[in-house]
Amino acid sequence: ARKVDVTAVSPRFSGARLDDIVDYLNYCVVPAFILLYSDIVTGAAAVVMAGMIVMASLFHFADAQSKTADGYFVGFPAIWNVACLYLFVFDLTQGMAVAVLIVLAALIFVPIKWVHPFRANRLRAVTFAVVVCWSIAAVHVVATGFPGDTVVRAVFLGAAVYLIGVGVLRTFRAKKQAAS
């Protein structure tokens, strides 16, 4: 829609709004249902966690300042599909899974930058390489079954440390520059 400038032909249609709706469904609602129907979290805890995901994510999607000009998200970017994949790969206990989900939901409201793997310019080549390695590991574990083996877990952990680390460093660097 953006590429062919649909808004010029149909000013009432917003491709950006449609994109946000599709993203909310794919990144938040579908993973909430996965949690409900998997054994990651069971019983009442599954219902609570699924509800928490869809409700907390509304804040992220409604936040007009959830993306920065330099290609970062502000607060956890509500990528619950990725979070659920991590839970499957690492085969955490229910208590640990609930703790991870609660921390991620809380991080939606914390103004720490999170790397957008295709929009952030800083370290773009390294970030792209990390995302490619992570994607290969993800395809491998989906094809071979959960939980992930040691190599898959190492790649997932390394990618998380790198991506979160770059975002945190960017957050503190921006605050330091603003204070100067």
Side-chain angles (χ1 to χ4, degrees):
R2 287 182 220 147
K3 202 169 218 124
V4 294
D5 196 19
V6 170
T7 307
V9 177
S10 179
R12 291 181 58 185
F13 183 81
S14 169
R17 183 175 290 164
L18 179 61
D19 185 48
D20 283 344
I21 292 167
V22 170
D23 285 351
Y24 180 75
L25 291 171
N26 285 322
Y27 298 153
C28 305
V29 175
V30 170
F33 274 103
I34 289 170
L35 274 179
L36 282 173
Y37 294 101
S38 71
D39 62 354
I40 294 174
V41 181
T42 58
V47 174
V48 171
M49 292 298 102
M52 178 191 68
I53 285 171
V54 296
M55 296 305 292
S57 299
L58 286 173
F59 176 81
H60 172 75
F61 278 89
D63 182 4
Q65 296 178 355
S66 67
K67 295 177 187 163
T68 66
D70 59 349
Y72 290 80
F73 293 104
V74 178
F76 176 67
I79 49 172
W80 295 104
N81 53 342
V82 174
C84 283
L85 183 57
Y86 269 83
L87 296 178
F88 280 112
V89 166
F90 284 94
D91 194 28
L92 302 177
T93 66
Q94 177 164 308
M96 290 173 59
V98 166
V100 167
L101 295 169
I102 290 171
V103 167
L104 291 176
L107 287 172
I108 288 174
F109 304 96
V110 178
I112 295 173
K113 291 187 177 190
W114 294 69
V115 176
H116 187 297
F118 304 110
R119 292 189 181 161
N121 289 326
R122 185 175 284 268
L123 300 170
R124 181 179 290 230
V126 177
T127 301
F128 184 74
V130 168
V131 170
V132 167
C133 291
W134 182 89
S135 299
I136 291 168
V139 168
H140 172 76
V141 74
V142 168
T144 59
F146 299 108
D149 59 30
T150 304
V151 172
V152 167
R153 288 180 181 194
V155 170
F156 269 56
L157 185 60
V161 167
Y162 170 79
L163 293 169
I164 292 168
V166 168
V168 168
L169 289 173
R170 184 70 183 113
T171 299
F172 290 114
R173 196 172 280 155
K175 286 183 182 185
K176 188 176 181 181
Q177 289 172 348
S180 300

